[in-house]
Amino acid sequence: MARQQMRWLFLSCKRALMRPMFLLLLILLPVGAWGIRQMENTDDGKIAIALFADGDSWNEQVAGRLIENSSSFAFYLCGTKEELVEDVAAGRAECGFSFPAGMQTLLKARDYKRAVRVTVSPSTTVADLASEVVFAGMFEVFGRDLLENYVEEGEAFSEARAVGGPVWNDVELLYEKYRSDGSTFSFVYETVDSGAMAESEMKSVFPVRGIGAVFVQVMGLAAAVMAAEDEKRGFYAAVTARQRRGFQMYSIGAMVALSCAAVLAALAATGDLHDSMEEIFALVLYGTATVVVSSCLLWIFRDSMILSGMIPVLIVGNLVSCPVFVDLSTFLPVLKMIRQCFLPWYYMSHGI
């Protein structure tokens, strides 16, 4: 009897793999998760800010300083003002700053009001902060010009100029040294318990474990739908009621096992598989529970239409109550009780 059951399990796996849609989903889960994670890894989390220098070398120097030094924004140069406006309108840049030609001259003449034009989208929330960073970078470059003018014309360096020494060369070396070594206007941020502030972890990542948990349960219910259709077509007419239930469980178990294997592959592909044995054990428990629940639903309702109608309800219920993408229980505490009625929560809590 055990040999017959193993043969049935093998044939059920073969039958499931012969279904193009199911096979596509099995492949798409790890491959898609890996692709999304690769895109997340290449994204440094910086906010794109467009710059237009209008062909002015001094403006390009300011832009270069911003591109090189900023850690919060990803500044980049646009070839034309129209390109800057188009990037902001298309959402490729959060906002854009256009510097007019001769900006250095305007600063020296103190005629710089409304000289820099800012292009923003209606949804932006960082334009003011970006403006502070841009103008700080601009005056970092302009400050060097002011210092050079003061060295060449200021009274404090008159004696050094009279001797004929290379005054500006010496001052420039000191300026560059103290500007770049962190000793000038250096701040160290610490928490209240004197520990260094940790890097922000607010950047979201693709929820492989949550998506995988929902995927396994949906595939279990889909297998129950197939088993109900097989019974309706008289597929189990030659066996007893007890044998029929056993064969149905093996049919459901085949699809669930393959789905769990796909989830395990997705976790490995994205680097979320930290302890393989522990993860396999958790998937075996979760897969077994999914097979039991799906089989019970099949034996209670025995109608493929009813079971099919449960699938979208199950998906929505899992996404709303369980923290797959976002934990809504923060706003609706009652969801903490509701989620305990859904199997994915128990598997997801293993990885939280």
Side-chain angles (χ1 to χ4, degrees), residues 26-34 37 206 208-209 211-212 259-273:
L26 289 181
I27 298 174
L28 188 61
L29 181 62
V31 173
W34 177 83
R37 185 56 54 85
F206 183 68
V208 180
R209 183 169 279 102
I211 294 294
S259 301
C260 289
V263 173
L264 190 67
L267 291 171
T270 56
D272 293 330
L273 186 60

mmCIF file with all atom_site columns, all heavy atoms in Angstrom, residues 26-34 37 206 208-209 211-212 259-273:
data_model
loop_
_atom_site.group_PDB
_atom_site.id
_atom_site.type_symbol
_atom_site.label_atom_id
_atom_site.label_alt_id
_atom_site.label_comp_id
_atom_site.label_asym_id
_atom_site.label_entity_id
_atom_site.label_seq_id
_atom_site.pdbx_PDB_ins_code
_atom_site.Cartn_x
_atom_site.Cartn_y
_atom_site.Cartn_z
_atom_site.occupancy
_atom_site.B_iso_or_equiv
_atom_site.pdbx_formal_charge
_atom_site.auth_seq_id
_atom_site.auth_comp_id
_atom_site.auth_asym_id
_atom_site.auth_atom_id
_atom_site.pdbx_PDB_model_num
ATOM 1   N N   . LEU A 1 26  ? 6.190  28.318 -10.706 1.00 0.00 ? 26  LEU A N   1
ATOM 2   C CA  . LEU A 1 26  ? 7.302  27.748 -9.943  1.00 0.00 ? 26  LEU A CA  1
ATOM 3   C C   . LEU A 1 26  ? 8.637  28.373 -10.354 1.00 0.00 ? 26  LEU A C   1
ATOM 4   O O   . LEU A 1 26  ? 9.501  28.636 -9.509  1.00 0.00 ? 26  LEU A O   1
ATOM 5   C CB  . LEU A 1 26  ? 7.364  26.233 -10.150 1.00 0.00 ? 26  LEU A CB  1
ATOM 6   C CG  . LEU A 1 26  ? 6.268  25.376 -9.515  1.00 0.00 ? 26  LEU A CG  1
ATOM 7   C CD1 . LEU A 1 26  ? 6.512  23.908 -9.809  1.00 0.00 ? 26  LEU A CD1 1
ATOM 8   C CD2 . LEU A 1 26  ? 6.186  25.604 -8.011  1.00 0.00 ? 26  LEU A CD2 1
ATOM 9   N N   . ILE A 1 27  ? 8.792  28.623 -11.642 1.00 0.00 ? 27  ILE A N   1
ATOM 10  C CA  . ILE A 1 27  ? 10.041 29.222 -12.131 1.00 0.00 ? 27  ILE A CA  1
ATOM 11  C C   . ILE A 1 27  ? 10.069 30.718 -11.846 1.00 0.00 ? 27  ILE A C   1
ATOM 12  O O   . ILE A 1 27  ? 11.108 31.286 -11.482 1.00 0.00 ? 27  ILE A O   1
ATOM 13  C CB  . ILE A 1 27  ? 10.200 28.957 -13.643 1.00 0.00 ? 27  ILE A CB  1
ATOM 14  C CG1 . ILE A 1 27  ? 10.293 27.451 -13.910 1.00 0.00 ? 27  ILE A CG1 1
ATOM 15  C CG2 . ILE A 1 27  ? 11.424 29.674 -14.198 1.00 0.00 ? 27  ILE A CG2 1
ATOM 16  C CD1 . ILE A 1 27  ? 10.298 27.078 -15.367 1.00 0.00 ? 27  ILE A CD1 1
ATOM 17  N N   . LEU A 1 28  ? 8.911  31.358 -11.995 1.00 0.00 ? 28  LEU A N   1
ATOM 18  C CA  . LEU A 1 28  ? 8.843  32.810 -11.866 1.00 0.00 ? 28  LEU A CA  1
ATOM 19  C C   . LEU A 1 28  ? 9.106  33.273 -10.437 1.00 0.00 ? 28  LEU A C   1
ATOM 20  O O   . LEU A 1 28  ? 9.691  34.352 -10.238 1.00 0.00 ? 28  LEU A O   1
ATOM 21  C CB  . LEU A 1 28  ? 7.464  33.306 -12.322 1.00 0.00 ? 28  LEU A CB  1
ATOM 22  C CG  . LEU A 1 28  ? 7.275  34.814 -12.424 1.00 0.00 ? 28  LEU A CG  1
ATOM 23  C CD1 . LEU A 1 28  ? 8.249  35.396 -13.444 1.00 0.00 ? 28  LEU A CD1 1
ATOM 24  C CD2 . LEU A 1 28  ? 5.845  35.156 -12.793 1.00 0.00 ? 28  LEU A CD2 1
ATOM 25  N N   . LEU A 1 29  ? 8.722  32.482 -9.444  1.00 0.00 ? 29  LEU A N   1
ATOM 26  C CA  . LEU A 1 29  ? 8.891  32.911 -8.053  1.00 0.00 ? 29  LEU A CA  1
ATOM 27  C C   . LEU A 1 29  ? 10.365 33.136 -7.696  1.00 0.00 ? 29  LEU A C   1
ATOM 28  O O   . LEU A 1 29  ? 10.736 34.247 -7.281  1.00 0.00 ? 29  LEU A O   1
ATOM 29  C CB  . LEU A 1 29  ? 8.234  31.911 -7.104  1.00 0.00 ? 29  LEU A CB  1
ATOM 30  C CG  . LEU A 1 29  ? 8.322  32.263 -5.609  1.00 0.00 ? 29  LEU A CG  1
ATOM 31  C CD1 . LEU A 1 29  ? 7.603  33.580 -5.338  1.00 0.00 ? 29  LEU A CD1 1
ATOM 32  C CD2 . LEU A 1 29  ? 7.730  31.152 -4.753  1.00 0.00 ? 29  LEU A CD2 1
ATOM 33  N N   . PRO A 1 30  ? 11.253 32.157 -7.846  1.00 0.00 ? 30  PRO A N   1
ATOM 34  C CA  . PRO A 1 30  ? 12.664 32.433 -7.510  1.00 0.00 ? 30  PRO A CA  1
ATOM 35  C C   . PRO A 1 30  ? 13.349 33.390 -8.476  1.00 0.00 ? 30  PRO A C   1
ATOM 36  O O   . PRO A 1 30  ? 14.136 34.241 -8.054  1.00 0.00 ? 30  PRO A O   1
ATOM 37  C CB  . PRO A 1 30  ? 13.307 31.045 -7.545  1.00 0.00 ? 30  PRO A CB  1
ATOM 38  C CG  . PRO A 1 30  ? 12.410 30.210 -8.390  1.00 0.00 ? 30  PRO A CG  1
ATOM 39  C CD  . PRO A 1 30  ? 11.033 30.746 -8.200  1.00 0.00 ? 30  PRO A CD  1
ATOM 40  N N   . VAL A 1 31  ? 13.050 33.259 -9.770  1.00 0.00 ? 31  VAL A N   1
ATOM 41  C CA  . VAL A 1 31  ? 13.699 34.133 -10.757 1.00 0.00 ? 31  VAL A CA  1
ATOM 42  C C   . VAL A 1 31  ? 13.248 35.579 -10.566 1.00 0.00 ? 31  VAL A C   1
ATOM 43  O O   . VAL A 1 31  ? 14.059 36.512 -10.586 1.00 0.00 ? 31  VAL A O   1
ATOM 44  C CB  . VAL A 1 31  ? 13.399 33.645 -12.187 1.00 0.00 ? 31  VAL A CB  1
ATOM 45  C CG1 . VAL A 1 31  ? 13.920 34.649 -13.218 1.00 0.00 ? 31  VAL A CG1 1
ATOM 46  C CG2 . VAL A 1 31  ? 14.025 32.278 -12.425 1.00 0.00 ? 31  VAL A CG2 1
ATOM 47  N N   . GLY A 1 32  ? 11.938 35.779 -10.381 1.00 0.00 ? 32  GLY A N   1
ATOM 48  C CA  . GLY A 1 32  ? 11.425 37.130 -10.175 1.00 0.00 ? 32  GLY A CA  1
ATOM 49  C C   . GLY A 1 32  ? 11.925 37.745 -8.881  1.00 0.00 ? 32  GLY A C   1
ATOM 50  O O   . GLY A 1 32  ? 12.288 38.925 -8.842  1.00 0.00 ? 32  GLY A O   1
ATOM 51  N N   . ALA A 1 33  ? 11.973 36.943 -7.810  1.00 0.00 ? 33  ALA A N   1
ATOM 52  C CA  . ALA A 1 33  ? 12.473 37.453 -6.531  1.00 0.00 ? 33  ALA A CA  1
ATOM 53  C C   . ALA A 1 33  ? 13.936 37.847 -6.652  1.00 0.00 ? 33  ALA A C   1
ATOM 54  O O   . ALA A 1 33  ? 14.364 38.877 -6.110  1.00 0.00 ? 33  ALA A O   1
ATOM 55  C CB  . ALA A 1 33  ? 12.287 36.399 -5.439  1.00 0.00 ? 33  ALA A CB  1
ATOM 56  N N   . TRP A 1 34  ? 14.716 37.024 -7.355  1.00 0.00 ? 34  TRP A N   1
ATOM 57  C CA  . TRP A 1 34  ? 16.137 37.351 -7.550  1.00 0.00 ? 34  TRP A CA  1
ATOM 58  C C   . TRP A 1 34  ? 16.302 38.637 -8.351  1.00 0.00 ? 34  TRP A C   1
ATOM 59  O O   . TRP A 1 34  ? 17.127 39.488 -8.013  1.00 0.00 ? 34  TRP A O   1
ATOM 60  C CB  . TRP A 1 34  ? 16.833 36.203 -8.277  1.00 0.00 ? 34  TRP A CB  1
ATOM 61  C CG  . TRP A 1 34  ? 18.269 36.487 -8.587  1.00 0.00 ? 34  TRP A CG  1
ATOM 62  C CD1 . TRP A 1 34  ? 19.344 36.344 -7.760  1.00 0.00 ? 34  TRP A CD1 1
ATOM 63  C CD2 . TRP A 1 34  ? 18.793 36.999 -9.816  1.00 0.00 ? 34  TRP A CD2 1
ATOM 64  N NE1 . TRP A 1 34  ? 20.501 36.711 -8.397  1.00 0.00 ? 34  TRP A NE1 1
ATOM 65  C CE2 . TRP A 1 34  ? 20.194 37.122 -9.659  1.00 0.00 ? 34  TRP A CE2 1
ATOM 66  C CE3 . TRP A 1 34  ? 18.218 37.346 -11.043 1.00 0.00 ? 34  TRP A CE3 1
ATOM 67  C CZ2 . TRP A 1 34  ? 21.017 37.585 -10.684 1.00 0.00 ? 34  TRP A CZ2 1
ATOM 68  C CZ3 . TRP A 1 34  ? 19.035 37.820 -12.057 1.00 0.00 ? 34  TRP A CZ3 1
ATOM 69  C CH2 . TRP A 1 34  ? 20.411 37.935 -11.875 1.00 0.00 ? 34  TRP A CH2 1
ATOM 70  N N   . ARG A 1 37  ? 15.394 41.655 -6.192  1.00 0.00 ? 37  ARG A N   1
ATOM 71  C CA  . ARG A 1 37  ? 16.423 41.904 -5.183  1.00 0.00 ? 37  ARG A CA  1
ATOM 72  C C   . ARG A 1 37  ? 17.667 42.529 -5.810  1.00 0.00 ? 37  ARG A C   1
ATOM 73  O O   . ARG A 1 37  ? 18.322 43.386 -5.203  1.00 0.00 ? 37  ARG A O   1
ATOM 74  C CB  . ARG A 1 37  ? 16.770 40.605 -4.465  1.00 0.00 ? 37  ARG A CB  1
ATOM 75  C CG  . ARG A 1 37  ? 17.742 40.762 -3.312  1.00 0.00 ? 37  ARG A CG  1
ATOM 76  C CD  . ARG A 1 37  ? 17.236 41.764 -2.274  1.00 0.00 ? 37  ARG A CD  1
ATOM 77  N NE  . ARG A 1 37  ? 15.918 41.473 -1.790  1.00 0.00 ? 37  ARG A NE  1
ATOM 78  C CZ  . ARG A 1 37  ? 15.649 40.633 -0.786  1.00 0.00 ? 37  ARG A CZ  1
ATOM 79  N NH1 . ARG A 1 37  ? 16.630 40.017 -0.170  1.00 0.00 ? 37  ARG A NH1 1
ATOM 80  N NH2 . ARG A 1 37  ? 14.400 40.446 -0.392  1.00 0.00 ? 37  ARG A NH2 1
ATOM 81  N N   . PHE A 1 206 ? 11.893 43.513 -0.979  1.00 0.00 ? 206 PHE A N   1
ATOM 82  C CA  . PHE A 1 206 ? 10.839 42.634 -1.461  1.00 0.00 ? 206 PHE A CA  1
ATOM 83  C C   . PHE A 1 206 ? 10.585 41.520 -0.450  1.00 0.00 ? 206 PHE A C   1
ATOM 84  O O   . PHE A 1 206 ? 11.504 40.796 -0.066  1.00 0.00 ? 206 PHE A O   1
ATOM 85  C CB  . PHE A 1 206 ? 11.249 42.051 -2.809  1.00 0.00 ? 206 PHE A CB  1
ATOM 86  C CG  . PHE A 1 206 ? 10.199 41.188 -3.437  1.00 0.00 ? 206 PHE A CG  1
ATOM 87  C CD1 . PHE A 1 206 ? 9.012  41.748 -3.886  1.00 0.00 ? 206 PHE A CD1 1
ATOM 88  C CD2 . PHE A 1 206 ? 10.385 39.827 -3.566  1.00 0.00 ? 206 PHE A CD2 1
ATOM 89  C CE1 . PHE A 1 206 ? 8.042  40.953 -4.462  1.00 0.00 ? 206 PHE A CE1 1
ATOM 90  C CE2 . PHE A 1 206 ? 9.423  39.031 -4.148  1.00 0.00 ? 206 PHE A CE2 1
ATOM 91  C CZ  . PHE A 1 206 ? 8.241  39.594 -4.602  1.00 0.00 ? 206 PHE A CZ  1
ATOM 92  N N   . VAL A 1 208 ? 10.068 38.306 0.334   1.00 0.00 ? 208 VAL A N   1
ATOM 93  C CA  . VAL A 1 208 ? 10.101 36.976 -0.274  1.00 0.00 ? 208 VAL A CA  1
ATOM 94  C C   . VAL A 1 208 ? 9.368  35.964 0.593   1.00 0.00 ? 208 VAL A C   1
ATOM 95  O O   . VAL A 1 208 ? 8.570  35.160 0.100   1.00 0.00 ? 208 VAL A O   1
ATOM 96  C CB  . VAL A 1 208 ? 11.565 36.530 -0.482  1.00 0.00 ? 208 VAL A CB  1
ATOM 97  C CG1 . VAL A 1 208 ? 11.611 35.148 -1.126  1.00 0.00 ? 208 VAL A CG1 1
ATOM 98  C CG2 . VAL A 1 208 ? 12.295 37.534 -1.345  1.00 0.00 ? 208 VAL A CG2 1
ATOM 99  N N   . ARG A 1 209 ? 9.629  35.987 1.904   1.00 0.00 ? 209 ARG A N   1
ATOM 100 C CA  . ARG A 1 209 ? 9.008  35.005 2.794   1.00 0.00 ? 209 ARG A CA  1
ATOM 101 C C   . ARG A 1 209 ? 7.486  35.179 2.837   1.00 0.00 ? 209 ARG A C   1
ATOM 102 O O   . ARG A 1 209 ? 6.741  34.197 2.815   1.00 0.00 ? 209 ARG A O   1
ATOM 103 C CB  . ARG A 1 209 ? 9.599  35.112 4.193   1.00 0.00 ? 209 ARG A CB  1
ATOM 104 C CG  . ARG A 1 209 ? 9.065  34.078 5.166   1.00 0.00 ? 209 ARG A CG  1
ATOM 105 C CD  . ARG A 1 209 ? 9.847  34.050 6.454   1.00 0.00 ? 209 ARG A CD  1
ATOM 106 N NE  . ARG A 1 209 ? 11.070 33.284 6.324   1.00 0.00 ? 209 ARG A NE  1
ATOM 107 C CZ  . ARG A 1 209 ? 12.271 33.806 6.176   1.00 0.00 ? 209 ARG A CZ  1
ATOM 108 N NH1 . ARG A 1 209 ? 12.421 35.120 6.163   1.00 0.00 ? 209 ARG A NH1 1
ATOM 109 N NH2 . ARG A 1 209 ? 13.336 33.033 6.070   1.00 0.00 ? 209 ARG A NH2 1
ATOM 110 N N   . ILE A 1 211 ? 5.450  36.634 0.499   1.00 0.00 ? 211 ILE A N   1
ATOM 111 C CA  . ILE A 1 211 ? 4.892  36.245 -0.798  1.00 0.00 ? 211 ILE A CA  1
ATOM 112 C C   . ILE A 1 211 ? 4.913  34.732 -0.949  1.00 0.00 ? 211 ILE A C   1
ATOM 113 O O   . ILE A 1 211 ? 3.955  34.121 -1.438  1.00 0.00 ? 211 ILE A O   1
ATOM 114 C CB  . ILE A 1 211 ? 5.676  36.914 -1.936  1.00 0.00 ? 211 ILE A CB  1
ATOM 115 C CG1 . ILE A 1 211 ? 5.480  38.430 -1.906  1.00 0.00 ? 211 ILE A CG1 1
ATOM 116 C CG2 . ILE A 1 211 ? 5.257  36.361 -3.285  1.00 0.00 ? 211 ILE A CG2 1
ATOM 117 C CD1 . ILE A 1 211 ? 4.062  38.878 -2.190  1.00 0.00 ? 211 ILE A CD1 1
ATOM 118 N N   . GLY A 1 212 ? 6.002  34.109 -0.510  1.00 0.00 ? 212 GLY A N   1
ATOM 119 C CA  . GLY A 1 212 ? 6.105  32.660 -0.607  1.00 0.00 ? 212 GLY A CA  1
ATOM 120 C C   . GLY A 1 212 ? 5.063  31.948 0.237   1.00 0.00 ? 212 GLY A C   1
ATOM 121 O O   . GLY A 1 212 ? 4.486  30.932 -0.182  1.00 0.00 ? 212 GLY A O   1
ATOM 122 N N   . SER A 1 259 ? 5.631  23.764 -4.478  1.00 0.00 ? 259 SER A N   1
ATOM 123 C CA  . SER A 1 259 ? 5.558  25.188 -4.154  1.00 0.00 ? 259 SER A CA  1
ATOM 124 C C   . SER A 1 259 ? 6.539  25.542 -3.042  1.00 0.00 ? 259 SER A C   1
ATOM 125 O O   . SER A 1 259 ? 7.208  26.587 -3.093  1.00 0.00 ? 259 SER A O   1
ATOM 126 C CB  . SER A 1 259 ? 4.138  25.563 -3.736  1.00 0.00 ? 259 SER A CB  1
ATOM 127 O OG  . SER A 1 259 ? 3.214  25.280 -4.775  1.00 0.00 ? 259 SER A OG  1
ATOM 128 N N   . CYS A 1 260 ? 6.646  24.681 -2.039  1.00 0.00 ? 260 CYS A N   1
ATOM 129 C CA  . CYS A 1 260 ? 7.606  24.922 -0.959  1.00 0.00 ? 260 CYS A CA  1
ATOM 130 C C   . CYS A 1 260 ? 9.033  24.898 -1.485  1.00 0.00 ? 260 CYS A C   1
ATOM 131 O O   . CYS A 1 260 ? 9.886  25.681 -1.042  1.00 0.00 ? 260 CYS A O   1
ATOM 132 C CB  . CYS A 1 260 ? 7.430  23.876 0.143   1.00 0.00 ? 260 CYS A CB  1
ATOM 133 S SG  . CYS A 1 260 ? 5.914  24.065 1.120   1.00 0.00 ? 260 CYS A SG  1
ATOM 134 N N   . ALA A 1 261 ? 9.312  24.001 -2.434  1.00 0.00 ? 261 ALA A N   1
ATOM 135 C CA  . ALA A 1 261 ? 10.645 23.953 -3.036  1.00 0.00 ? 261 ALA A CA  1
ATOM 136 C C   . ALA A 1 261 ? 10.946 25.260 -3.778  1.00 0.00 ? 261 ALA A C   1
ATOM 137 O O   . ALA A 1 261 ? 12.076 25.764 -3.736  1.00 0.00 ? 261 ALA A O   1
ATOM 138 C CB  . ALA A 1 261 ? 10.745 22.760 -3.987  1.00 0.00 ? 261 ALA A CB  1
ATOM 139 N N   . ALA A 1 262 ? 9.925  25.815 -4.451  1.00 0.00 ? 262 ALA A N   1
ATOM 140 C CA  . ALA A 1 262 ? 10.114 27.086 -5.151  1.00 0.00 ? 262 ALA A CA  1
ATOM 141 C C   . ALA A 1 262 ? 10.376 28.218 -4.161  1.00 0.00 ? 262 ALA A C   1
ATOM 142 O O   . ALA A 1 262 ? 11.198 29.104 -4.422  1.00 0.00 ? 262 ALA A O   1
ATOM 143 C CB  . ALA A 1 262 ? 8.879  27.402 -6.007  1.00 0.00 ? 262 ALA A CB  1
ATOM 144 N N   . VAL A 1 263 ? 9.682  28.210 -3.028  1.00 0.00 ? 263 VAL A N   1
ATOM 145 C CA  . VAL A 1 263 ? 9.909  29.228 -1.999  1.00 0.00 ? 263 VAL A CA  1
ATOM 146 C C   . VAL A 1 263 ? 11.324 29.109 -1.436  1.00 0.00 ? 263 VAL A C   1
ATOM 147 O O   . VAL A 1 263 ? 12.022 30.113 -1.238  1.00 0.00 ? 263 VAL A O   1
ATOM 148 C CB  . VAL A 1 263 ? 8.864  29.092 -0.863  1.00 0.00 ? 263 VAL A CB  1
ATOM 149 C CG1 . VAL A 1 263 ? 9.202  30.029 0.295   1.00 0.00 ? 263 VAL A CG1 1
ATOM 150 C CG2 . VAL A 1 263 ? 7.473  29.387 -1.391  1.00 0.00 ? 263 VAL A CG2 1
ATOM 151 N N   . LEU A 1 264 ? 11.764 27.882 -1.196  1.00 0.00 ? 264 LEU A N   1
ATOM 152 C CA  . LEU A 1 264 ? 13.121 27.669 -0.691  1.00 0.00 ? 264 LEU A CA  1
ATOM 153 C C   . LEU A 1 264 ? 14.156 28.181 -1.694  1.00 0.00 ? 264 LEU A C   1
ATOM 154 O O   . LEU A 1 264 ? 15.151 28.810 -1.311  1.00 0.00 ? 264 LEU A O   1
ATOM 155 C CB  . LEU A 1 264 ? 13.337 26.181 -0.414  1.00 0.00 ? 264 LEU A CB  1
ATOM 156 C CG  . LEU A 1 264 ? 14.611 25.807 0.342   1.00 0.00 ? 264 LEU A CG  1
ATOM 157 C CD1 . LEU A 1 264 ? 14.564 26.330 1.767   1.00 0.00 ? 264 LEU A CD1 1
ATOM 158 C CD2 . LEU A 1 264 ? 14.799 24.288 0.346   1.00 0.00 ? 264 LEU A CD2 1
ATOM 159 N N   . ALA A 1 265 ? 13.905 27.937 -2.977  1.00 0.00 ? 265 ALA A N   1
ATOM 160 C CA  . ALA A 1 265 ? 14.811 28.425 -4.017  1.00 0.00 ? 265 ALA A CA  1
ATOM 161 C C   . ALA A 1 265 ? 14.814 29.952 -4.067  1.00 0.00 ? 265 ALA A C   1
ATOM 162 O O   . ALA A 1 265 ? 15.860 30.575 -4.270  1.00 0.00 ? 265 ALA A O   1
ATOM 163 C CB  . ALA A 1 265 ? 14.409 27.847 -5.370  1.00 0.00 ? 265 ALA A CB  1
ATOM 164 N N   . ALA A 1 266 ? 13.640 30.565 -3.880  1.00 0.00 ? 266 ALA A N   1
ATOM 165 C CA  . ALA A 1 266 ? 13.548 32.028 -3.888  1.00 0.00 ? 266 ALA A CA  1
ATOM 166 C C   . ALA A 1 266 ? 14.313 32.629 -2.718  1.00 0.00 ? 266 ALA A C   1
ATOM 167 O O   . ALA A 1 266 ? 15.011 33.636 -2.862  1.00 0.00 ? 266 ALA A O   1
ATOM 168 C CB  . ALA A 1 266 ? 12.077 32.457 -3.854  1.00 0.00 ? 266 ALA A CB  1
ATOM 169 N N   . LEU A 1 267 ? 14.190 32.013 -1.548  1.00 0.00 ? 267 LEU A N   1
ATOM 170 C CA  . LEU A 1 267 ? 14.929 32.502 -0.376  1.00 0.00 ? 267 LEU A CA  1
ATOM 171 C C   . LEU A 1 267 ? 16.433 32.383 -0.585  1.00 0.00 ? 267 LEU A C   1
ATOM 172 O O   . LEU A 1 267 ? 17.199 33.275 -0.199  1.00 0.00 ? 267 LEU A O   1
ATOM 173 C CB  . LEU A 1 267 ? 14.508 31.721 0.869   1.00 0.00 ? 267 LEU A CB  1
ATOM 174 C CG  . LEU A 1 267 ? 13.080 31.965 1.376   1.00 0.00 ? 267 LEU A CG  1
ATOM 175 C CD1 . LEU A 1 267 ? 12.732 30.957 2.467   1.00 0.00 ? 267 LEU A CD1 1
ATOM 176 C CD2 . LEU A 1 267 ? 12.922 33.377 1.899   1.00 0.00 ? 267 LEU A CD2 1
ATOM 177 N N   . ALA A 1 268 ? 16.854 31.281 -1.196  1.00 0.00 ? 268 ALA A N   1
ATOM 178 C CA  . ALA A 1 268 ? 18.282 31.098 -1.460  1.00 0.00 ? 268 ALA A CA  1
ATOM 179 C C   . ALA A 1 268 ? 18.771 32.100 -2.502  1.00 0.00 ? 268 ALA A C   1
ATOM 180 O O   . ALA A 1 268 ? 19.873 32.645 -2.388  1.00 0.00 ? 268 ALA A O   1
ATOM 181 C CB  . ALA A 1 268 ? 18.544 29.673 -1.930  1.00 0.00 ? 268 ALA A CB  1
ATOM 182 N N   . ALA A 1 269 ? 17.948 32.371 -3.525  1.00 0.00 ? 269 ALA A N   1
ATOM 183 C CA  . ALA A 1 269 ? 18.350 33.282 -4.603  1.00 0.00 ? 269 ALA A CA  1
ATOM 184 C C   . ALA A 1 269 ? 18.491 34.714 -4.116  1.00 0.00 ? 269 ALA A C   1
ATOM 185 O O   . ALA A 1 269 ? 19.308 35.471 -4.640  1.00 0.00 ? 269 ALA A O   1
ATOM 186 C CB  . ALA A 1 269 ? 17.338 33.208 -5.752  1.00 0.00 ? 269 ALA A CB  1
ATOM 187 N N   . THR A 1 270 ? 17.699 35.091 -3.127  1.00 0.00 ? 270 THR A N   1
ATOM 188 C CA  . THR A 1 270 ? 17.737 36.473 -2.636  1.00 0.00 ? 270 THR A CA  1
ATOM 189 C C   . THR A 1 270 ? 18.643 36.653 -1.428  1.00 0.00 ? 270 THR A C   1
ATOM 190 O O   . THR A 1 270 ? 18.771 37.767 -0.912  1.00 0.00 ? 270 THR A O   1
ATOM 191 C CB  . THR A 1 270 ? 16.322 36.934 -2.261  1.00 0.00 ? 270 THR A CB  1
ATOM 192 O OG1 . THR A 1 270 ? 15.751 36.029 -1.304  1.00 0.00 ? 270 THR A OG1 1
ATOM 193 C CG2 . THR A 1 270 ? 15.424 36.986 -3.492  1.00 0.00 ? 270 THR A CG2 1
ATOM 194 N N   . GLY A 1 271 ? 19.245 35.571 -0.951  1.00 0.00 ? 271 GLY A N   1
ATOM 195 C CA  . GLY A 1 271 ? 20.127 35.684 0.204   1.00 0.00 ? 271 GLY A CA  1
ATOM 196 C C   . GLY A 1 271 ? 19.401 35.710 1.532   1.00 0.00 ? 271 GLY A C   1
ATOM 197 O O   . GLY A 1 271 ? 20.002 36.058 2.558   1.00 0.00 ? 271 GLY A O   1
ATOM 198 N N   . ASP A 1 272 ? 18.119 35.351 1.548   1.00 0.00 ? 272 ASP A N   1
ATOM 199 C CA  . ASP A 1 272 ? 17.340 35.346 2.790   1.00 0.00 ? 272 ASP A CA  1
ATOM 200 C C   . ASP A 1 272 ? 17.351 33.984 3.483   1.00 0.00 ? 272 ASP A C   1
ATOM 201 O O   . ASP A 1 272 ? 16.694 33.814 4.503   1.00 0.00 ? 272 ASP A O   1
ATOM 202 C CB  . ASP A 1 272 ? 15.891 35.756 2.505   1.00 0.00 ? 272 ASP A CB  1
ATOM 203 C CG  . ASP A 1 272 ? 15.784 37.197 2.066   1.00 0.00 ? 272 ASP A CG  1
ATOM 204 O OD1 . ASP A 1 272 ? 16.637 37.993 2.497   1.00 0.00 ? 272 ASP A OD1 1
ATOM 205 O OD2 . ASP A 1 272 ? 14.865 37.530 1.301   1.00 0.00 ? 272 ASP A OD2 1
ATOM 206 N N   . LEU A 1 273 ? 18.059 33.020 2.910   1.00 0.00 ? 273 LEU A N   1
ATOM 207 C CA  . LEU A 1 273 ? 18.130 31.681 3.496   1.00 0.00 ? 273 LEU A CA  1
ATOM 208 C C   . LEU A 1 273 ? 19.341 31.626 4.420   1.00 0.00 ? 273 LEU A C   1
ATOM 209 O O   . LEU A 1 273 ? 20.456 31.305 4.008   1.00 0.00 ? 273 LEU A O   1
ATOM 210 C CB  . LEU A 1 273 ? 18.248 30.627 2.387   1.00 0.00 ? 273 LEU A CB  1
ATOM 211 C CG  . LEU A 1 273 ? 18.191 29.166 2.826   1.00 0.00 ? 273 LEU A CG  1
ATOM 212 C CD1 . LEU A 1 273 ? 16.871 28.866 3.518   1.00 0.00 ? 273 LEU A CD1 1
ATOM 213 C CD2 . LEU A 1 273 ? 18.390 28.254 1.620   1.00 0.00 ? 273 LEU A CD2 1
#
